[in-house]
Amino acid sequence: MDTPLQWWRRQGWGRRTVVICLFLYVLYLVVVGLILPGWLRGKAEEELSSLLGRTVTVEKVSLNPFVLSATVEGFDIADDRTDTLLGFQRLFVNAQFWSSLFHWRPWVREISLDGLDAGLWRGKGGELSIDDILARLSQPAADADSADTDNADKKSPDTVADSEPEQQDVAPEQEQQEPQEPQEQPVAEETPTGEADGAQQQESPVPALTVDVLQLTAGQVRFIEATGEEPVTLTLPVEFKVEDLTTRAPEQEDNRYALNIEGPDGGTLEWSGRFNLLPLSTDGQLSMTQVDLVSFAQLLRSQFDFRIPSGHLALSADYRFSAEQGQGLTVSNGSLELDNLVIRRAGQEEANLTLPRIAVNGVSLDTVAREVMVPEVRISDAVVKAELDQEGLDLATLFLPRNASEEDDENTEDSAGAPWRVTLQTVALEQAQLTLLDKTVNPATPVALTNTNLTVTDVTVGDQISWHWQGDALLAESGQLNHSGEGSLSPLNVSAAIKADAIPLPAFAPWVKQAVPITIRSGQASADVKVDVSGEEPVVTVSGGAGLNNLDLLEGNGQRFARLAAMQASGVSVNTAEHRATVANIDISGLDLVNRVDAQGRDLVSRLDTGGGGGDTGGPAWRVGLKQVRVKNSKLAHNDASLSKPFAISLEQWNSTVRNFDTGGGRAAITLNGKVNGNAPLKAEGTVSPDPLFLDLKMDFQSYGMEGLTPYTGRFLGYAVRRGLLSVNSTLKIENNQLESRSTVAADRFFLGDRVQSDDAVNAPVRLGLSVLRDSSGMINLPLNVSGDMNDPSFSVAGLVFTVIKNVLVKAATAPFSLLSSLAGGKDLEQIAFPAGEAVPGAETRQNLATLNEVLSKRPGLSVALSGQTNDEDRAAFARQALGEQLSEGLFRGDWPGEQAALADSRWGKRIVKEFEKRFDTDSAELGVEGRDDQADARRAQLAWDRLVEAAAKDVSAQTLRTLATQRAENARNELVEQHGLDAGRVRLGEPAMDGKLAGIQLGLGND
């Protein structure tokens, strides 16, 4: 038998070649199928672990030398945070040697990756689980780049292309078996050394390659968010498949791809289409269906304060992209739907936003034309709940990142091209519910817009921003709100038409009460206005009308102070640029306004004044004009509880008109009529101007029941009013802050009643004063003139009026005859003189008594007291009478001629002198008259008579004088009663007085 060597030598070169090929093939099978897999597995673990700084394990590497396929199983890059940073169960690559040889380029039948598992972790500081790997890879990459740069001059463009990382990753076996692709491309032109890399990337063609199937199955990507207190994991199943991948002249069905990602809690993302590499282009469809947003929102828990407890997303779009010149990305048939989306703030149960459905349809985008078109956005049955507190509106911060820092503004405009143009044809909000809970008021108060519909159309965002809109809603459950308009920015120009009907004012009561202590118990507001806002410094103009109905206002103490049946303002015009507001007509009906003065003396305005004060805002003063204000069937009331007894007065059936009121100048005409306390007619008319204050008013009212004045008469006069009717005719003028009033006051059958204890009451017989003023018909007519300086802090109209009335009553009570003198022809009848020494009235006395009777007949409420008086004249009269009787007892007994005749007769003169000498026991020379002629004798007789009368007067007894005084009063009474018919009950005798002021009677008045 031949030895193997002998056999080998005996064989020819043909058999030797076959044997050598068989040997090499067996060696290839042994090396590739048995030896190389183990070596590659160990080498891969060693090199990758060293490169990444992580433990890399590969369970198994298999190579099939027959079909040129490779399988890697159990690949894993360890991570202490995610367990597996990157791994897969199986990677299978099946190369097509014969196909590659036939097509003269690499041809792969299948590349399949199964069980991909990728995990990414992020910590509280924002660090990632791959930061250490990126740091390790960055330095070697920099060194490699430096080495490539140094050797750039030594390499041709083809060599550079052959040294690409993608080419280096090809297994050695494949490099040996795959034939070199013919040089079909033109040789690249030589370029400068520094530009070789850039030219290679931009101009070198993509290497020829075909892959029948490229797919990923049963893959997953895990995101672990550890920035919060507890880590949150999101796992996304991933699958994709690319069929007939080729880099050379693809057919219609080549390069088709499909990507499928499943959401962690349902829903899928499907991405399919076709692409081409030369030139780079792709088109296809992207769709997401029923993607549950809850798990995705978990990743945001640590960065944002909102939570998404429910919500599903669906979207779809057709797209096309091309890198060719003049082309870009276009998107068409885009749609997006959000279902049952709920967003709430962390830590609270109630949702801030509930969006049952948001639908966006027909979206298109063109990056070349820089246009975005959205035909329709429809939001249905949305529920929005917001809260306002001292820190602001919660929705304004709901979507802001936590710990967000302020950064410098950056210029985001794209200076390389024209601005984008975005068009929204229709944005519709349907049946939305919007609720704002305002916690800045106490108690916290909600205000709601329900059944809200809003349609915004023709929204264009480009060089300018413009839009149209219309909408309606229910405000506070019952108020109907309609609005529409159009607007634009740059420059700002917005026009709106707003119509509100039956807006319930109690819904806004807490805000009003916070500013002013007023409670809105009921009321409705309406408005129909047009609002325009324009300009860089916006100017606002408002025109239209507004109204109030069934308004009921209470003070903070719960007392009603205003009620309004209806108010309608028409022809309203407001212009902020001109600082002017005008109203053509204001019609008010059923107004019931009450001003209450409390026990502390505070009126309504004082109680409502919170002390905030508008003050000077620093801007121009507003000019307000009211062309016509009409008040119908209304009521004004004033109640004063600061008096000992509450006072109340009202103006009912109040109708008034004000025309041409203007704070900028001019005087408005005012007319007013009504009934005081419901039965005393009041009329007033005049002119008024607010600045400076001017008032010229004529007023007349009749038959006011004065019983209501008891609180004031009790305080200032000390008596209640028993009865009386008051009528006033007055003119009032205010100019330069000076008040001037002239009035005629008539009080019919005005009588005081019971006594009222008051420290402020006048100390005077006011009842008598009233009787003095009251005429025979029971009427008191009193001129009342009042003036005062309104700049005086103590100025008070009521105080002035009562001061004047009090002064008149005091004068009437304390000096009644001075007031009655006009009734007596100017005579002062307080005293009526009698002839000296006489008790019987003389002619003049009778005339005065007749005048007194006339006065008393005109003042039936007065009674008169007659007090007889005597004085020195009466003593002298009695002395003269006694002396005459003494002198007549002598020679001329019984013939006393009287004082004047006796002094003129020399015989009586001598007798008088002798009586002097006898009475005083002295000589007549003491009289100091010299001579003995007739003139001296007459002078001597006169002096002697005077001395005798003086001495005799001292001898008149008091009883004589009292008797005379008493007789005078009695005779005067008899004269009044018997001669003039005066009621005897109205005349009484007073206490007689000796040595009084006059010889006669002193009159005193009393109230009957």
Side-chain angles (χ1 to χ4, degrees):
M1 175 179 288
D2 294 336
T3 63
L5 180 59
Q6 293 174 340
W7 181 86
W8 175 255
R9 288 176 177 175
R10 258 185 320 104
Q11 305 300 319
W13 286 104
R15 289 189 176 186
R16 286 182 182 183
T17 301
V18 172
V19 171
I20 291 173
C21 289
L22 290 174
F23 174 77
L24 292 176
Y25 184 68
V26 171
L27 180 61
Y28 160 73
L29 293 178
V30 172
V31 172
V32 175
L34 300 176
I35 299 174
L36 188 58
W39 181 83
L40 287 176
R41 172 181 173 275
K43 192 65 175 177
E45 288 182 345
E46 178 184 351
E47 292 295 332
L48 290 176
S49 296
S50 175
L51 178 64
L52 302 178
R54 301 289 183 90
T55 301
V56 179
T57 60
V58 180
E59 291 184 0
K60 183 180 179 180
V61 176
S62 300
L63 298 175
N64 188 336
F66 300 103
V67 295
L68 293 180
S69 66
T71 303
V72 180
E73 300 181 5
F75 179 83
D76 182 81
I77 301 176
D79 185 83
D80 56 356
R81 301 181 183 91
T82 62
D83 293 334
T84 296
L85 180 65
L86 178 65
F88 53 82
Q89 296 178 4
R90 181 175 179 271
L91 170 63
F92 175 71
V93 179
N94 185 3
Q96 291 287 322
F97 174 76
W98 298 110
S99 295
S100 299
L101 186 62
F102 177 77
H103 292 90
W104 204 247
R105 66 173 182 267
W107 198 290
V108 180
R109 179 178 182 182
E110 180 182 0
I111 300 176
S112 297
L113 182 63
D114 183 58
L116 174 69
D117 184 9
L120 182 64
W121 174 94
R122 185 169 74 160
K124 292 184 178 180
E127 67 275 14
L128 301 175
S129 57
I130 60 173
D131 284 347
D132 58 329
I133 297 177
L134 296 176
R136 290 178 66 88
L137 294 177
S138 61
Q139 185 62 39
D143 294 342
D145 292 342
S146 177
D148 291 342
T149 303
D150 293 339
N151 297 326
D153 295 337
K154 302 177 182 179
K155 297 181 180 181
S156 66
D158 293 337
T159 305
V160 173
D162 292 339
S163 63
E164 297 276 7
E166 292 81 353
Q167 302 298 325
Q168 294 177 357
D169 291 340
V170 178
E173 301 88 318
Q174 295 175 338
E175 292 185 28
Q176 296 174 4
Q177 298 179 20
E178 293 180 356
Q180 294 294 322
E181 185 173 354
Q183 297 293 328
E184 298 178 352
Q185 297 81 6
V187 178
E189 297 180 1
E190 292 185 0
T191 59
T193 304
E195 300 176 2
D197 289 341
Q200 179 69 27
Q201 293 176 2
Q202 296 179 8
E203 299 177 6
S204 62
V206 178
L209 175 67
T210 297
V211 179
D212 287 341
V213 176
L214 175 64
Q215 65 180 1
L216 167 66
T217 58
Q220 68 174 16
V221 178
R222 293 176 292 114
F223 298 96
I224 302 175
E225 184 70 34
T227 55
E229 296 180 358
E230 297 181 0
V232 177
T233 301
L234 176 65
T235 302
L236 298 177
V238 180
E239 291 186 355
F240 72 84
K241 186 176 183 179
V242 179
E243 296 180 339
D244 300 324
L245 172 63
T246 181
T247 62
R248 286 291 180 268
E251 299 295 335
Q252 186 66 30
E253 297 301 323
D254 291 340
N255 290 356
R256 303 201 66 83
Y257 58 89
L259 172 65
N260 182 280
I261 300 177
E262 294 186 2
D265 298 309
T268 59
L269 180 148
E270 295 182 353
W271 189 1
S272 62
R274 181 179 176 275
F275 68 91
N276 188 11
L277 295 177
L278 288 176
L280 179 60
S281 64
T282 180
D283 60 84
Q285 300 82 36
L286 175 67
S287 66
M288 299 174 64
T289 58
Q290 291 301 307
V291 176
D292 195 328
L293 299 177
V294 176
S295 297
F296 290 94
Q298 300 294 323
L299 298 177
L300 305 177
R301 293 174 66 95
S302 59
Q303 282 78 39
F304 296 89
D305 283 331
F306 68 84
R307 300 289 182 264
I308 299 180
S310 71
H312 291 85
L313 169 67
L315 63 84
S316 64
D318 298 334
Y319 65 90
R320 187 180 187 281
F321 171 78
S322 177
E324 288 190 274
Q325 184 69 25
Q327 300 189 35
L329 174 66
T330 60
V331 177
S332 60
N333 300 322
S335 65
L336 179 146
E337 291 186 5
L338 283 169
D339 294 327
N340 299 321
L341 178 61
V342 176
I343 301 176
R344 61 175 175 80
R345 186 175 291 276
Q348 71 181 33
E349 295 297 327
E350 191 172 27
N352 296 92
L353 295 173
T354 301
L355 304 171
R357 180 175 173 80
I358 299 178
V360 182
N361 297 311
V363 178
S364 62
L365 176 146
D366 188 336
T367 59
V368 175
R370 304 177 77 83
E371 291 183 349
V372 176
M373 171 68 75
V374 181
E376 183 180 60
V377 177
R378 194 167 297 277
I379 305 172
S380 303
D381 301 320
V383 177
V384 180
K385 295 183 178 180
E387 292 185 1
L388 179 66
D389 56 21
Q390 301 300 332
E391 297 181 356
L393 188 66
D394 63 343
L395 288 185
T397 60
L398 182 62
F399 299 102
L400 292 180
R402 291 178 178 172
N403 304 320
S405 60
E406 293 184 1
E407 299 180 355
D408 294 336
D409 294 337
E410 298 181 356
N411 185 7
T412 59
E413 294 184 1
D414 185 0
S415 59
W420 280 80
R421 179 180 178 85
V422 180
T423 302
L424 284 76
Q425 293 181 348
T426 301
V427 179
L429 181 68
E430 300 175 337
Q431 295 300 304
Q433 317 292 322
L434 311 177
T435 303
L436 172 67
L437 179 63
D438 192 345
K439 293 184 176 180
T440 63
V441 296
N442 187 20
T445 303
V447 60
L449 281 174
T450 57
N451 298 339
T452 303
N453 298 287
L454 175 63
T455 301
V456 183
T457 58
D458 303 327
V459 180
T460 303
V461 180
D463 294 333
Q464 291 187 345
I465 301 176
S466 62
W467 67 93
H468 294 77
W469 89 90
Q470 64 178 6
D472 58 81
L474 283 180
L475 178 58
E477 298 183 355
S478 60
Q480 184 65 46
L481 181 64
N482 295 275
H483 51 93
S484 62
E486 60 182 3
S488 64
L489 299 179
S490 301
L492 175 65
N493 191 350
V494 178
S495 296
I498 303 173
K499 185 174 182 180
D501 187 40
I503 304 299
L505 296 180
F508 305 96
W511 290 276
V512 175
K513 192 171 185 179
Q514 182 169 271
V516 183
I518 290 176
T519 298
I520 303 178
R521 186 175 181 180
S522 65
Q524 294 178 335
S526 61
D528 190 352
V529 297
K530 181 180 180 182
V531 181
D532 292 302
V533 183
S534 61
E536 294 182 359
E537 295 182 0
V539 174
V540 180
T541 60
V542 180
S543 60
L548 294 173
N549 292 285
N550 302 320
L551 182 65
D552 195 357
L553 302 179
L554 310 180
E555 291 189 59
N557 56 17
Q559 290 183 313
R560 177 184 293 110
F561 74 90
R563 179 184 289 172
L564 175 68
M567 184 190 76
Q568 187 65 41
S570 60
V572 177
S573 177
V574 179
N575 189 307
T576 60
E578 299 176 357
H579 291 82
R580 182 165 185 171
T582 60
V583 183
N585 290 286
I586 298 179
D587 290 306
I588 300 172
S589 63
L591 175 63
D592 187 349
L593 186 63
V594 181
N595 176 44
R596 292 183 177 87
V597 180
D598 58 23
Q600 290 74 38
R602 299 176 303 169
D603 62 4
L604 175 64
V605 175
S606 300
R607 291 193 299 275
L608 296 184
D609 184 8
T610 59
D616 187 2
T617 60
W622 277 75
R623 181 175 180 178
V624 178
L626 305 175
K627 292 185 179 180
Q628 180 171 266
V629 180
R630 292 179 295 188
V631 179
K632 297 181 179 180
N633 300 323
S634 296
K635 178 181 178 181
L636 284 174
H638 175 77
N639 297 335
D640 192 344
S642 65
L643 305 173
S644 58
K645 185 177 180 180
F647 169 73
I649 190 172
S650 65
L651 176 62
E652 301 177 22
Q653 301 178 37
W654 167 29
N655 296 277
S656 65
T657 302
V658 178
R659 291 184 175 88
N660 300 322
F661 177 87
D662 193 339
T663 60
R667 295 174 180 178
I670 180 173
T671 61
L672 180 147
N673 63 78
K675 293 187 176 181
V676 178
N677 285 358
N679 51 30
L682 169 68
K683 293 182 179 180
E685 63 178 11
T687 57
V688 63
S689 176
D691 188 18
L693 178 61
F694 175 85
L695 178 65
D696 188 356
L697 189 68
K698 294 181 180 180
M699 182 183 66
D700 179 81
F701 82 97
Q702 304 290 326
S703 304
Y704 167 70
M706 300 181 68
E707 296 84 351
L709 295 176
T710 289
Y712 289 103
T713 60
R715 177 180 177 180
F716 296 109
L717 302 182
Y719 290 92
V721 176
R722 180 157 58 94
R723 62 174 177 169
L725 295 175
L726 179 66
S727 299
V728 177
N729 184 278
S730 176
T731 60
L732 174 65
K733 188 171 184 178
I734 298 176
E735 190 171 13
N736 298 323
N737 269 3
Q738 301 296 314
L739 180 143
E740 193 76 28
S741 174
R742 297 184 179 277
S743 305
T744 299
V745 179
D748 186 16
R749 294 181 293 277
F750 174 37
F751 294 94
L752 296 177
D754 297 334
R755 181 81 181 182
V756 176
Q757 183 62 37
S758 173
D759 295 336
D760 298 328
V762 62
N763 186 19
V766 293
R767 285 179 180 271
L768 174 60
L770 291 176
S771 296
V772 170
L773 298 173
R774 190 180 298 115
D775 63 18
S776 59
S777 64
M779 185 70 72
I780 297 175
N781 288 295
L782 184 67
L784 185 63
N785 300 323
V786 176
S787 62
D789 185 357
M790 297 178 65
N791 295 313
D792 187 349
S794 62
F795 175 82
S796 170
V797 174
L800 281 175
V801 171
F802 273 93
T803 297
V804 172
I805 293 176
K806 180 180 71 173
N807 292 340
V808 171
L809 288 178
V810 169
K811 183 177 182 181
T814 56
F817 289 101
S818 64
L819 291 179
L820 294 175
S821 62
S822 60
L823 302 178
K827 296 180 180 179
D828 185 354
L829 299 180
E830 187 174 3
Q831 296 175 335
I832 296 178
F834 272 61
E838 297 291 335
V840 177
E844 184 177 355
T845 301
R846 287 190 175 90
Q847 181 61 42
N848 288 337
L849 288 175
T851 301
L852 175 60
N853 179 72
E854 292 178 4
V855 171
L856 292 177
S857 65
K858 295 178 180 179
R859 295 291 184 268
L862 290 177
S863 61
V864 63
L866 306 177
S867 298
Q869 288 188 359
T870 59
N871 62 2
D872 290 342
E873 293 179 1
D874 289 312
R875 288 179 178 272
F878 277 114
R880 290 184 178 89
Q881 183 178 1
L883 285 174
E885 292 176 354
Q886 293 176 7
L887 293 174
S888 63
E889 290 178 355
L891 178 62
F892 303 99
R893 183 176 181 178
D895 295 330
W896 174 248
E899 178 180 353
Q900 297 300 325
L903 291 174
D905 190 333
S906 58
R907 291 178 301 169
W908 284 104
K910 292 178 181 179
R911 179 73 180 110
I912 291 172
V913 171
K914 288 182 180 179
E915 184 66 24
F916 169 78
E917 292 174 343
K918 178 181 177 182
R919 176 73 180 267
F920 292 105
D921 192 20
T922 184
D923 188 77
S924 62
E926 184 180 347
L927 296 174
V929 179
E930 296 179 356
R932 291 295 179 178
D933 55 15
D934 293 340
Q935 185 175 0
D937 290 341
R939 177 62 179 162
R940 191 174 296 110
Q942 181 67 53
L943 291 175
W945 176 257
D946 292 340
R947 292 285 298 277
L948 287 172
V949 170
E950 180 179 359
K954 295 179 180 179
D955 294 335
V956 176
S957 67
Q959 182 60 42
T960 300
L961 295 174
R962 174 179 291 274
T963 300
L964 176 61
T966 300
Q967 289 176 347
R968 284 175 171 174
E970 291 176 347
N971 291 337
R973 181 185 64 182
N974 294 335
E975 181 77 12
L976 291 171
V977 173
E978 295 176 1
Q979 297 298 323
H980 298 290
L982 185 64
D983 185 358
R986 297 179 61 190
V987 183
R988 60 184 178 84
L989 299 178
E991 189 69 21
M994 286 70 70
D995 301 322
K997 295 180 180 180
L998 82 161
I1001 55 175
Q1002 177 75 35
L1003 275 66
L1005 296 177
N1007 51 305
D1008 189 6

